[in-house]
Amino acid sequence: MNAHQAVAHDLGPVEVVPVGEGREFLVDGRRIAVFRPRSGTLAATDAVCPHRQGPLADGIIGMDSVVCPLHGRRFSLTSGEDDAGPCAVRVYPVESAGGRIVLTLAGEEIRAASR
């Protein structure tokens, strides 16, 4: 696979992620959390906090952030950066298309997950 090639994944209807919550999905061997903030948009990050391996899909969702349920670190849903230090999570392109959640992984993300 070309490193620049991207693959879109249909994760199901948007309704599987209630407004104001997150859900975890396994996509090409990678654990990804998809969030639906109250703004109605979608966001996707790594599903595991790099600090204490907390389940980010279970965190508290703000307009542009998720708070890890284990230790309270806040991660931006747009950049993945932690507001309290050097930890960060990867963010992924995700959108609603025809009422479905469509997540896109780039070729390098797919290869890294398969190692």
Side-chain angles (χ1 to χ4, degrees):
M1 174 178 292
N2 183 323
H4 299 290
Q5 186 176 10
V7 177
H9 298 272
D10 182 332
L11 302 182
V14 172
E15 293 77 27
V16 299
V17 182
V19 173
E21 295 185 21
R23 292 290 183 268
E24 183 175 318
F25 295 86
L26 187 62
V27 182
D28 280 343
R30 183 179 295 273
R31 293 171 59 191
I32 296 176
V34 175
F35 302 97
R36 196 166 162 209
R38 298 208 182 278
S39 65
T41 60
L42 292 171
T45 70
D46 288 330
V48 179
C49 174
H51 181 239
R52 290 199 184 152
Q53 313 330 270
L56 290 180
D58 295 339
I60 297 170
I61 313 304
M63 289 303 285
D64 185 42
S65 63
V66 59
V67 177
C68 179
L70 292 187
H71 64 286
R73 283 220 165 138
R74 181 181 308 271
F75 295 93
S76 167
L77 292 176
T78 55
S79 70
E81 293 183 13
D82 171 10
D83 67 353
C87 288
V89 292
R90 186 179 295 215
V91 295
Y92 302 92
V94 65
E95 64 182 346
S96 174
R100 312 273 308 165
I101 300 169
V102 179
L103 177 102
T104 302
L105 291 181
E108 62 272 8
E109 292 163 342
I110 295 167
R111 279 198 317 285
S114 65
R115 288 184 196 160

